Amino acid sequence: MDDYFNIRLADDDIRAISSIGLAHLGDAVYELLVRAYLCAHGRATGKGLHRAAVELVRAPSQAVRADRILPLLTEAELAVYKRGRNAHVNTIPHNASRTDYLKATALECLLGHLYLRGERERISQLFAVMMEEDEHAT
């Protein structure tokens, strides 16, 4: 496998990755989506871009977005989400509650899982719902 932009792993291979490993990848997927979203919506200016990105990737913001998509998740996606939410985390940032941080970890785990399955369209669908209220604010 040399094309990591279009990776597609077997379910057994994905299950072998820890929930923290999936969340690590999902964090990068979410960050890339947020940066692309901000650029596409005309917020691509230096410090403003960085501040907007930081605000959207903080655990409390991710927790809100996770709540938006929970009703839309399939049974299998919900299982992955719960796997991430139940991950053993060693430290929680001072700007997040434990609940928000675990929701953010769960969201990232789901995104990492979907990415490794090659489910770009599903990621896009969920991300669109995550960002709906922001769309109306711009």
Side-chain angles (χ1 to χ4, degrees):
M1 165 59 59
D2 290 330
D3 185 2
Y4 293 102
F5 275 115
N6 296 299
I7 194 168
R8 180 163 171 73
L9 297 181
D11 287 339
D12 286 344
D13 292 334
I14 296 170
R15 275 191 289 277
I17 300 169
S18 72
S19 53
I20 296 298
L22 291 174
H24 178 73
L25 176 59
D27 177 61
V29 171
Y30 183 72
E31 174 97 18
L32 180 60
L33 290 169
V34 163
R35 288 176 180 221
Y37 172 86
L38 292 172
C39 288
H41 287 84
R43 298 188 206 160
T45 59
K47 278 187 189 175
L49 178 62
H50 177 72
R51 285 188 193 121
V54 167
E55 183 56 37
L56 288 170
V57 300
R58 291 176 62 233
S61 179
Q62 286 186 24
V64 167
R65 283 152 175 61
D67 288 339
R68 289 181 191 168
I69 65 165
L70 272 177
L72 306 174
L73 298 183
T74 66
E75 191 174 311
E77 291 168 346
L78 186 58
V80 172
Y81 177 90
K82 288 178 179 179
R83 178 182 168 201
R85 188 187 61 204
N86 295 331
H88 179 70
V89 294
N90 292 322
T91 58
I92 295 174
H94 67 278
N95 67 349
S97 70
R98 180 168 185 77
T99 300
D100 283 352
Y101 191 72
L102 293 176
K103 284 181 181 182
T105 301
L107 176 63
E108 292 169 349
C109 185
L110 175 62
L111 292 174
H113 174 87
L114 291 172
Y115 180 81
L116 290 174
R117 290 199 67 197
E119 295 190 35
R120 306 304 184 274
E121 187 174 325
R122 182 60 173 156
I123 292 170
S124 292
Q125 291 169 347
L126 294 174
F127 187 73
V129 172
M130 285 183 228
M131 302 307 286
E132 275 178 359
E133 288 183 27
D134 297 281
E135 291 270 329
H136 301 300
T138 55

